[in-house]
Amino acid sequence: TFRPFRVVVPNRVDIAGGTLDIYPLYLLIGDAMTVNAAVAVRSEVAVRPFRRGAARLSPGNFGIAVTAADTHGFSIGGKMGLLSRALRHFPAVSGVEIRVRNEAPVGSGIGASSALLVALMLAAGRLTGTACRRDETALAAMEIEAAHLKSLTGRQDHLAALRGGIQGIRFSPGRVDALRLPPGGRRGRCCGITRSSPTRGSPTTRRT
């Protein structure tokens, strides 16, 4: 068994360069940069033990809960299809209930669905002992979302949920660099998203 826990990540507002984070557009435009800021509107995933031999996905924004034999058993169609697809990125688990919730309403335009996807992937990584680096999580989230939507998707929503703060994200072949404006107004450069320190609005994991 395991102890219940929660993962909370911020949503974001787009300041500039909102389409330049779409693959492969940023590879075609030299020195492309997207600027965004995390806001105090959150996406949350709570994980707790459930009955043996079953798994439940309980959506706070999408209607009734669904139950399956394990976390690979949820349908990838319908309103929860993206979350179900993300769970299949990790080993199947039973005996768990996953509750998901967005504070932002559907269609708010602040990256809530992508942030919830990131929160779920962070929670699933912890639950299954397969947590990845943040850059790997961001890339996987973008590809999972693109595969689900069957369209090109951007990367800034996932990066904002993982990093928090105010940032300019520069995309180069095989590399993502972030220029951060920390509290107090001093500007600092973080090269590679795996090296930055936590800031206000960054993801948190809590025991419940």
Side-chain angles (χ1 to χ4, degrees), residues 82 85 140-153:
L82 176 60
R85 191 181 294 269
M142 185 269 288
E143 293 183 345
I144 290 169
E145 191 163 349
H148 178 72
L149 297 175
K150 293 181 170 54
S151 68
L152 301 177
T153 60

Side-chain angles (χ1 to χ4, degrees), residues 20-102:
L20 299 182
D21 65 317
I22 298 176
Y23 175 85
L25 183 59
Y26 55 77
L27 298 176
L28 308 179
I29 300 176
D31 219 24
M33 175 177 280
T34 294
V35 181
N36 64 33
V39 294
V41 181
R42 305 178 301 173
S43 299
E44 179 179 316
V45 172
V47 182
R48 66 181 186 181
F50 191 57
R51 68 173 182 264
R52 189 172 183 179
R56 173 173 285 180
L57 183 58
S58 302
N61 306 86
F62 305 116
I64 63 173
V66 292
T67 304
D70 57 41
T71 50
H72 284 190
F74 305 122
S75 172
I76 59 173
K79 295 180 179 180
M80 292 193 294
L82 176 60
L83 302 180
S84 301
R85 191 181 294 269
L87 287 171
R88 298 186 185 195
H89 183 71
F90 300 89
V93 178
S94 62
V96 60
E97 180 180 23
I98 302 172
R99 294 174 174 255
V100 300
R101 185 177 70 91
N102 273 331

Side-chain angles (χ1 to χ4, degrees), residues 58-206:
S58 302
N61 306 86
F62 305 116
I64 63 173
V66 292
T67 304
D70 57 41
T71 50
H72 284 190
F74 305 122
S75 172
I76 59 173
K79 295 180 179 180
M80 292 193 294
L82 176 60
L83 302 180
S84 301
R85 191 181 294 269
L87 287 171
R88 298 186 185 195
H89 183 71
F90 300 89
V93 178
S94 62
V96 60
E97 180 180 23
I98 302 172
R99 294 174 174 255
V100 300
R101 185 177 70 91
N102 273 331
E103 292 181 348
V106 176
S108 61
I110 58 174
S113 60
S114 296
L116 188 62
L117 169 62
V118 167
L120 179 62
M121 293 181 68
L122 293 174
R126 173 174 171 174
L127 178 65
T128 60
T130 58
C132 298
R133 301 195 313 266
R134 285 192 291 178
D135 55 344
E136 295 173 334
T137 298
L139 179 59
M142 185 269 288
E143 293 183 345
I144 290 169
E145 191 163 349
H148 178 72
L149 297 175
K150 293 181 170 54
S151 68
L152 301 177
T153 60
R155 301 187 65 180
Q156 67 158 320
D157 297 352
H158 315 107
L159 293 167
L162 285 161
R163 291 178 51 83
I166 304 171
Q167 57 186 338
I169 308 166
R170 178 172 282 112
F171 302 95
S172 305
R175 185 180 179 87
V176 177
D177 294 332
L179 184 69
R180 168 158 297 145
L181 181 63
R186 293 180 302 168
R187 192 172 67 174
R189 184 173 181 81
C190 298
C191 296
I193 68 170
T194 61
R195 301 178 185 175
S196 60
S197 57
T199 63
R200 183 180 302 172
S202 58
T204 59
T205 302
R206 308 169 184 169

